[in-house]
Amino acid sequence: QVQLVQSGGGVAQAGGSLRLSCAASGGTFSGYAMGWFRQAPGKEREFVAGISGTGVNTYYSDSVKGRFSISRDNAKNTVYLQMNSLKPEDTAVYLCARDRRPFRTVFATSSADFGSWGQGTQVTVSS
């Protein structure tokens, strides 16, 4: 069973940047797409960004496209989320997750398609 441990996050001012990391251990990493989700108080968990197992393909929600960047280092079993031009509405708990299925050909954006989750990291953006 893969374990995902997150680091990074914290507090930033609007327009600032933060970087999240998610390190995997105990399971296969490179063959699986990875995703970042977020959940604000009183709201449903929403997809933020995803990256294919090789790292060649990335995909983003419209709300973060052009501001956030997802990447991965398969040698370090780690996925990253670089968040730039932060907005107060980006405030949420951010979670990384591993796709349930390896080598998926159609990108997954539903939380139900992800089977292993990090512990969550609070990101707070002040105006």
PDB file of all heavy atoms in Angstrom, residues 13 20 27 39 46 64-65 73 97 99 104 109 123:
ATOM      1  N   GLN A  13       0.443  35.834   0.832  1.00  0.00           N
ATOM      2  CA  GLN A  13      -0.392  36.968   0.459  1.00  0.00           C
ATOM      3  C   GLN A  13      -0.893  36.775  -0.965  1.00  0.00           C
ATOM      4  O   GLN A  13      -0.293  36.053  -1.763  1.00  0.00           O
ATOM      5  CB  GLN A  13       0.399  38.266   0.562  1.00  0.00           C
ATOM      6  CG  GLN A  13       0.726  38.678   1.985  1.00  0.00           C
ATOM      7  CD  GLN A  13       1.335  40.067   2.068  1.00  0.00           C
ATOM      8  OE1 GLN A  13       1.938  40.540   1.121  1.00  0.00           O
ATOM      9  NE2 GLN A  13       1.160  40.714   3.213  1.00  0.00           N
ATOM     10  N   LEU A  20       3.955  22.907  -2.943  1.00  0.00           N
ATOM     11  CA  LEU A  20       3.604  21.704  -2.206  1.00  0.00           C
ATOM     12  C   LEU A  20       4.384  20.525  -2.766  1.00  0.00           C
ATOM     13  O   LEU A  20       4.619  20.443  -3.974  1.00  0.00           O
ATOM     14  CB  LEU A  20       2.108  21.420  -2.322  1.00  0.00           C
ATOM     15  CG  LEU A  20       1.148  22.532  -1.903  1.00  0.00           C
ATOM     16  CD1 LEU A  20      -0.284  22.054  -2.067  1.00  0.00           C
ATOM     17  CD2 LEU A  20       1.414  22.969  -0.489  1.00  0.00           C
ATOM     18  N   GLY A  27       5.109   1.666  -2.497  1.00  0.00           N
ATOM     19  CA  GLY A  27       4.336   1.189  -3.632  1.00  0.00           C
ATOM     20  C   GLY A  27       4.915   1.704  -4.928  1.00  0.00           C
ATOM     21  O   GLY A  27       5.884   2.462  -4.939  1.00  0.00           O
ATOM     22  N   GLN A  39      -9.909  21.171  -0.833  1.00  0.00           N
ATOM     23  CA  GLN A  39     -11.225  21.226  -0.204  1.00  0.00           C
ATOM     24  C   GLN A  39     -11.279  22.407   0.742  1.00  0.00           C
ATOM     25  O   GLN A  39     -10.503  22.466   1.709  1.00  0.00           O
ATOM     26  CB  GLN A  39     -11.535  19.927   0.537  1.00  0.00           C
ATOM     27  CG  GLN A  39     -12.961  19.847   1.041  1.00  0.00           C
ATOM     28  CD  GLN A  39     -13.376  18.427   1.382  1.00  0.00           C
ATOM     29  OE1 GLN A  39     -12.542  17.536   1.556  1.00  0.00           O
ATOM     30  NE2 GLN A  39     -14.672  18.199   1.478  1.00  0.00           N
ATOM     31  N   GLU A  46     -12.417  19.306  -4.739  1.00  0.00           N
ATOM     32  CA  GLU A  46     -12.358  19.571  -6.162  1.00  0.00           C
ATOM     33  C   GLU A  46     -10.977  19.262  -6.728  1.00  0.00           C
ATOM     34  O   GLU A  46      -9.956  19.450  -6.068  1.00  0.00           O
ATOM     35  CB  GLU A  46     -12.720  21.043  -6.476  1.00  0.00           C
ATOM     36  CG  GLU A  46     -11.756  22.066  -5.953  1.00  0.00           C
ATOM     37  CD  GLU A  46     -11.994  23.458  -6.525  1.00  0.00           C
ATOM     38  OE1 GLU A  46     -12.573  23.575  -7.623  1.00  0.00           O
ATOM     39  OE2 GLU A  46     -11.571  24.434  -5.866  1.00  0.00           O
ATOM     40  N   VAL A  64      -7.313  27.172 -11.959  1.00  0.00           N
ATOM     41  CA  VAL A  64      -5.890  27.321 -11.644  1.00  0.00           C
ATOM     42  C   VAL A  64      -5.008  27.326 -12.885  1.00  0.00           C
ATOM     43  O   VAL A  64      -3.799  27.574 -12.785  1.00  0.00           O
ATOM     44  CB  VAL A  64      -5.400  26.226 -10.685  1.00  0.00           C
ATOM     45  CG1 VAL A  64      -6.276  26.157  -9.447  1.00  0.00           C
ATOM     46  CG2 VAL A  64      -5.330  24.866 -11.375  1.00  0.00           C
ATOM     47  N   LYS A  65      -5.585  27.080 -14.035  1.00  0.00           N
ATOM     48  CA  LYS A  65      -4.800  27.003 -15.263  1.00  0.00           C
ATOM     49  C   LYS A  65      -4.053  28.309 -15.499  1.00  0.00           C
ATOM     50  O   LYS A  65      -4.615  29.398 -15.384  1.00  0.00           O
ATOM     51  CB  LYS A  65      -5.729  26.687 -16.439  1.00  0.00           C
ATOM     52  CG  LYS A  65      -5.033  26.218 -17.695  1.00  0.00           C
ATOM     53  CD  LYS A  65      -6.054  25.798 -18.740  1.00  0.00           C
ATOM     54  CE  LYS A  65      -6.891  24.633 -18.280  1.00  0.00           C
ATOM     55  NZ  LYS A  65      -7.868  24.187 -19.302  1.00  0.00           N
ATOM     56  N   ASP A  73       8.992  13.981 -10.039  1.00  0.00           N
ATOM     57  CA  ASP A  73      10.340  13.444 -10.162  1.00  0.00           C
ATOM     58  C   ASP A  73      10.241  11.971  -9.798  1.00  0.00           C
ATOM     59  O   ASP A  73      10.181  11.616  -8.612  1.00  0.00           O
ATOM     60  CB  ASP A  73      11.298  14.187  -9.230  1.00  0.00           C
ATOM     61  CG  ASP A  73      12.739  13.747  -9.383  1.00  0.00           C
ATOM     62  OD1 ASP A  73      12.973  12.634  -9.909  1.00  0.00           O
ATOM     63  OD2 ASP A  73      13.630  14.487  -8.961  1.00  0.00           O
ATOM     64  N   ALA A  97      -2.896  12.724  -4.392  1.00  0.00           N
ATOM     65  CA  ALA A  97      -3.508  11.408  -4.494  1.00  0.00           C
ATOM     66  C   ALA A  97      -2.925  10.640  -5.664  1.00  0.00           C
ATOM     67  O   ALA A  97      -2.488  11.232  -6.659  1.00  0.00           O
ATOM     68  CB  ALA A  97      -5.019  11.547  -4.656  1.00  0.00           C
ATOM     69  N   ASP A  99      -3.668   7.765  -8.613  1.00  0.00           N
ATOM     70  CA  ASP A  99      -4.722   7.114  -9.386  1.00  0.00           C
ATOM     71  C   ASP A  99      -4.867   5.647  -8.970  1.00  0.00           C
ATOM     72  O   ASP A  99      -3.879   4.986  -8.657  1.00  0.00           O
ATOM     73  CB  ASP A  99      -4.350   7.202 -10.864  1.00  0.00           C
ATOM     74  CG  ASP A  99      -5.513   6.919 -11.801  1.00  0.00           C
ATOM     75  OD1 ASP A  99      -6.398   6.116 -11.447  1.00  0.00           O
ATOM     76  OD2 ASP A  99      -5.520   7.483 -12.896  1.00  0.00           O
ATOM     77  N   ARG A 104      -3.508   4.590 -16.973  1.00  0.00           N
ATOM     78  CA  ARG A 104      -4.837   5.003 -17.445  1.00  0.00           C
ATOM     79  C   ARG A 104      -4.667   5.859 -18.691  1.00  0.00           C
ATOM     80  O   ARG A 104      -3.834   6.765 -18.726  1.00  0.00           O
ATOM     81  CB  ARG A 104      -5.572   5.783 -16.362  1.00  0.00           C
ATOM     82  CG  ARG A 104      -7.037   6.025 -16.674  1.00  0.00           C
ATOM     83  CD  ARG A 104      -7.637   6.988 -15.665  1.00  0.00           C
ATOM     84  NE  ARG A 104      -7.681   6.489 -14.322  1.00  0.00           N
ATOM     85  CZ  ARG A 104      -8.735   5.883 -13.778  1.00  0.00           C
ATOM     86  NH1 ARG A 104      -9.809   5.681 -14.509  1.00  0.00           N
ATOM     87  NH2 ARG A 104      -8.698   5.490 -12.520  1.00  0.00           N
ATOM     88  N   THR A 109     -10.255  12.813 -13.119  1.00  0.00           N
ATOM     89  CA  THR A 109     -10.383  14.054 -12.366  1.00  0.00           C
ATOM     90  C   THR A 109     -11.342  13.910 -11.192  1.00  0.00           C
ATOM     91  O   THR A 109     -11.505  14.857 -10.425  1.00  0.00           O
ATOM     92  CB  THR A 109     -10.871  15.198 -13.271  1.00  0.00           C
ATOM     93  OG1 THR A 109     -12.143  14.834 -13.827  1.00  0.00           O
ATOM     94  CG2 THR A 109      -9.889  15.471 -14.399  1.00  0.00           C
ATOM     95  N   VAL A 123      -3.438  25.565   2.954  1.00  0.00           N
ATOM     96  CA  VAL A 123      -2.935  26.717   2.215  1.00  0.00           C
ATOM     97  C   VAL A 123      -3.897  27.863   2.479  1.00  0.00           C
ATOM     98  O   VAL A 123      -5.106  27.742   2.241  1.00  0.00           O
ATOM     99  CB  VAL A 123      -2.845  26.430   0.711  1.00  0.00           C
ATOM    100  CG1 VAL A 123      -2.555  27.709  -0.061  1.00  0.00           C
ATOM    101  CG2 VAL A 123      -1.764  25.394   0.438  1.00  0.00           C
TER     102      VAL A 123
END
